[in-house]
Every structure is written in structure tokens, then in C-alpha cells.
Amino acid sequence: MSQRTRKFFGTIALLIILTVYSLVVAVLATYVFPRLAAWQVPLFYLIAGLGWVPLAMVVVSWMYRGRADPIE
């Protein structure tokens, strides 16, 4: 698979992952927030806000695997 095709599919995958993740977190927040104390809400936002990063790292590393020309 060419680098260009891999980047195209990776971009589409990132958009889908981010959309689904944000919807899941929004639904989860609806059920979790009433049970949380005031100090736990920012902690929830911190964890939920950074939770998508490992998924994105996997996709981006796949997109750049086997790159022929190194960045100079």
C-alpha cells in the first residue's frame, strides 16, 4: 500500500475514531456526572480528554510505517 493511500485511510480512521469516542464520552458523562463530587469532574475531563490519544497514536504510527523518505 502506498504512503498516500495509507495516509488517506488513516485520516478517515482518525475522524471516525474521534467522532465515536466523543459520542461515547458524552453519553458516559450524562450518566456519570450526577454521581461525581465537584473535585472529580475535572479529573473525568482530564481522563476523557486524553483517552483518545493512544488510539490516535496507533493509527498515526500505522500511517507512517515503512516510510521511504526520512524527514530532513
Side-chain angles (χ1 to χ4, degrees):
M1 181 179 298
S2 72
Q3 188 73 28
R4 187 174 184 173
T5 306
R6 196 177 290 209
K7 284 184 180 180
F8 174 74
F9 286 125
T11 302
I12 299 298
L14 283 173
L15 290 173
I16 291 171
I17 288 170
L18 194 55
T19 303
V20 170
Y21 182 80
S22 63
L23 291 173
V24 168
V25 168
V27 170
L28 182 65
T30 304
Y31 293 108
V32 171
F33 275 4
R35 298 183 189 115
L36 293 180
W39 66 271
Q40 292 172 328
V41 173
L43 188 62
F44 175 83
Y45 278 122
L46 178 69
I47 293 169
L50 294 175
W52 64 275
V53 174
L55 297 171
M57 286 173 54
V58 170
V59 174
V60 170
S61 68
W62 174 80
M63 286 168 51
Y64 286 97
R65 188 179 314 140
R67 185 180 174 130
D69 55 332
I71 299 175
E72 296 180 29

